[in-house]
Each structure stands twice: as C-alpha cells, then as structure tokens.
Amino acid sequence: MSSERAPADGEGAAGSGRTGPAPESGRGGPAPETGRAGPAADVGRWFSTATAAPLDGPGPTRGGPRMTAWGPMVGAEYGRRSPQDEVSDALELLRGRPVAVLTGAGMSTGSGLPDYRGRDAVPRSPMTYQEFMGHDLARRRYWARSTVGWEQFNRARPGRSHRLLAALGESVFTSTAVITQNVDGLHQAAGSAPVIDLHGRLDRVRCQRCDALSSRAALHSRMLTMNPELAARLPDLAADAAQAPDGDAEVDRTSSFRYPPCPLCGGILKPDVVFFGESARREVVASAFAALEEAEVLLVLGSSLTVQSGLRFVRAAGRQHKPVVILNDGPTRADPDATMRLHGRLEDVLASWLLMVTES
C-alpha cells in the first residue's frame, strides 16, 4: 500500500498488478432513456458517517479520525464563464500533444450522480476506513444504504462530458490516460482508454483479508436474499432515502441489516473503493504517475482538488515543468498552480473544443 493518504472524494481499478477474477459490470439490461442515476443513488450518503459522533467500543481504531465535511466550498463563486479567447488558447495548448487527464465528480453530475463540493453538494461528514473496518454498525449502515440505492446507481450511463472527452482523446490530443477520482466506471463505458481508477470501482467488492475481488452485482442479489423484508420494500425505501435528510431516512435506522462475509475466507467485504483515511493501492498510483510522466500537458476536469489524492498530480506536473489546464465550475485548491484556468460547464467547453477542431 502507498504511504500517501488518498481519500475518495467521489469525484471513482483497472490498474496494473491487480489480481483476482474480473467482476461483472452490473450494468446489464435495458437502461432508462435518460441514462441518469435515480435520486437514491446519492453515493455520498452511502459513504457518510454512521453516527454524529465518533463510534466507540470494540474495534482497532475506536472510530478513527473525524474528517472534514463535504459540502459547497465556503465563499466559492460558481457559474463563471471564461471568455472564448481563453477557451481557444487552452485548446491550442492541448492540440496534438500527449495529455494526461485528471477527472473528478463534476464529470458525472450530468449522469445524475451528485458531486461532493459543488454548489449543490449536501453537507455531510464522510465515513472513514477506520470506522467501516472497526465497527459492525458502520458496515450495516453502509451496506443497507448502498443496497437501497444500488439499482438506481446502475441506471447511470455516460453523460455528454464523458462522450466528448472520449472524442477529444481520439481527434484532438493523445490521452496517455484518463486518471479518474470517480468510482462509477463511466469513462470506460464512454470509450475512453486507458482509464486509471485512482479510487477504485463501486461495481467491485474486495475482501480485506484474502484480497479476492468479486462482483457488487452478485453481492447485491445475495444481500436482498438475506434481507427479504428490505427487498420487498426496496422502491419505498429508495424513495424515502431520496427525500429524507441524512440520518432521518428509514434505511439509516436499519441496524438489523445482514451482510455476508467473504465466501472464500470469512473476511470482511468492502466496496473496492478508497475510503477517507485509507491509502490508494500502490500499483494504481504508480500507473497514474507513469501516465503523467508520458504526457506533455495535464488537463484537470471537474475536480476541486481539495484532497491530496488529486492535488499531488498537479504539483508533480509543476515540478516537471509541464503546463496544467484546469476546467471547473467553482474554485480549486490548485488555481495558483494552473497554467490556464478555465471556468464554465464541462460539456460546454469540451463541445466548444471539438467544434473548433471540426471547423478548422
């Protein structure tokens, strides 16, 4: 494991060196025409802490550190639009060059998946790795919430931003990799390649003892079988979870929810994503830095870069004297480090770039 902390800010691994069977995607079957996740697919709620105060009692960590809350950035100015000449200048910086692309939660809002620090983000405190691993109640709450929202999460399909980025990577610049902090698999579904899932994938489950990978879709079916009363009321519970404030939804009080151990060794099963307080897998981080090394430019899309997990790539690009282009609605922690800082909706700017290239 890497010695650096890489907390998942939601903003999403097919990295080298991963072992275990390839899990199914969980995205089979007909999709709704909108291609958007349902309102119960608020992944931030799944990962929010199980209690208002740190959990106490048995466990290796006594709850672990209390982390900074998610929510809109204080004093942030949203809705700005960069002038067209700046958009054009940024395109010229990218055109025809090898580019590493770093993406965050803003990429997937068009697919119905809420972000964590944008203007509409819900303030909440994230569950830590220590809380999940150290306390049965935290695991029950996570698995109950995610079971109620899983089918609505699986409705999400690539949005316009995903598809435009894939097209740009084929016609405007050469993508050394899309390094995504998202855990939804939508870049791959849109056709981007290669994609490095820095924070893992929600459609996979990993045993914390034997490291075996398995399918989240298969686990979902198993948990519905183990919790027949919840399964019978799934639509009602999903509707309630979508409307009630955090902590007030009926599923938040489901302390009797049952979840299985690893079928191979009896260990604790955990979604194959990086929690706050957990380190990203060493080989995934190494592959991301290798992609940056091969690139001449770093392009950041839809990330506030609030946590070190994403920010470190901007800092590394600076040390390598490589230009950094940042496009985000709202401030980022790396604004002073950007060679070019663009403001606006991702799909608008990406579409503008593709149109300029097509017309030139």
Side-chain angles (χ1 to χ4, degrees):
M1 301 289 276
S2 167
S3 60
E4 289 194 70
R5 295 296 182 187
D9 60 356
E11 304 180 24
S16 61
R18 293 271 182 147
T19 59
E24 55 196 78
S25 70
R27 296 189 181 278
E33 292 182 2
T34 62
R36 290 176 59 86
D42 182 354
V43 176
R45 183 177 202 145
W46 303 359
F47 284 96
S48 62
T49 185
T51 62
L55 287 165
D56 206 351
T61 63
R62 299 173 66 85
R66 183 60 53 206
M67 306 301 291
T68 304
W70 289 318
M73 300 178 71
V74 177
E77 181 181 355
Y78 297 100
R80 289 181 59 187
R81 298 291 182 268
S82 291
Q84 189 59 36
D85 61 331
E86 293 183 6
V87 174
S88 300
D89 289 345
L91 173 62
E92 292 308 310
L93 193 58
L94 299 168
R95 193 197 293 252
R97 305 176 76 177
V99 176
V101 185
L102 175 66
T103 70
M107 285 294 301
S108 295
T109 55
S111 299
L113 299 174
D115 62 12
Y116 295 78
R117 294 184 175 89
R119 73 171 82 194
D120 299 319
V122 177
R124 48 170 61 108
S125 294
M127 181 184 295
T128 64
Y129 174 77
Q130 292 80 6
E131 181 181 341
F132 182 89
M133 292 299 297
H135 297 276
D136 174 70
L137 174 61
R139 293 192 293 275
R140 289 179 191 271
R141 291 283 173 83
Y142 171 78
W143 289 121
R145 291 165 174 168
S146 65
T147 297
V148 165
W150 179 250
E151 293 177 5
Q152 294 196 15
F153 172 82
N154 267 340
R155 295 178 188 174
R157 296 295 182 270
R160 192 166 177 234
S161 294
H162 298 104
R163 297 191 299 270
L164 286 166
L165 177 59
L168 288 166
E170 294 176 349
S171 60
V172 178
F173 52 79
T174 301
S175 173
T176 62
V178 175
I179 306 164
T180 185
Q181 300 169 89
N182 299 337
V183 294
D184 50 39
L186 294 178
H187 281 301
Q188 291 93 330
S192 287
V195 177
I196 298 170
D197 296 299
L198 190 62
H199 294 155
R201 289 274 296 264
L202 268 178
D203 60 2
R204 295 190 301 239
V205 178
R206 187 179 292 273
C207 175
Q208 299 303 286
R209 179 186 295 170
C210 71
D211 207 41
L213 279 176
S214 56
S215 162
R216 177 63 177 84
L219 180 63
H220 178 70
S221 297
R222 187 176 179 191
M223 287 193 291
L224 290 181
T225 301
M226 295 176 67
N227 297 274
E229 293 184 3
L230 179 142
R233 302 185 55 229
L234 204 56
D236 292 339
L237 290 171
D240 178 60
Q243 298 173 8
D246 279 11
D248 289 345
E250 185 174 349
V251 69
D252 290 330
R253 301 188 293 274
T254 312
S255 58
S256 61
F257 186 86
R258 299 175 62 210
Y259 59 91
C262 173
L264 299 179
C265 73
I268 294 174
L269 294 177
K270 171 184 161 292
D272 189 30
V273 300
V274 181
F275 278 63
F276 272 86
E278 183 182 8
S279 297
R281 294 178 73 85
R282 181 185 298 273
E283 69 273 15
V284 176
V285 175
S287 64
F289 275 114
L292 178 61
E293 186 72 29
E294 295 173 7
E296 294 181 7
V297 184
L298 175 65
L299 172 62
V300 181
L301 300 173
S303 175
S304 65
L305 299 168
T306 302
V307 295
Q308 183 65 20
S309 177
L311 180 65
R312 57 184 165 181
F313 294 102
V314 176
R315 299 282 166 79
R319 290 192 297 270
Q320 297 171 25
H321 306 290
K322 295 178 178 179
V324 177
V325 178
I326 299 178
L327 168 57
N328 193 56
D329 180 18
T332 82
R333 189 176 169 188
D335 282 358
D337 304 306
T339 308
M340 296 204 68
R341 175 64 169 95
L342 299 182
H343 302 267
R345 291 169 55 86
L346 297 183
E347 56 266 38
D348 292 344
V349 175
L350 297 179
S352 176
W353 284 346
L354 196 58
L355 180 62
M356 283 188 278
V357 170
T358 303
E359 293 180 344
S360 62

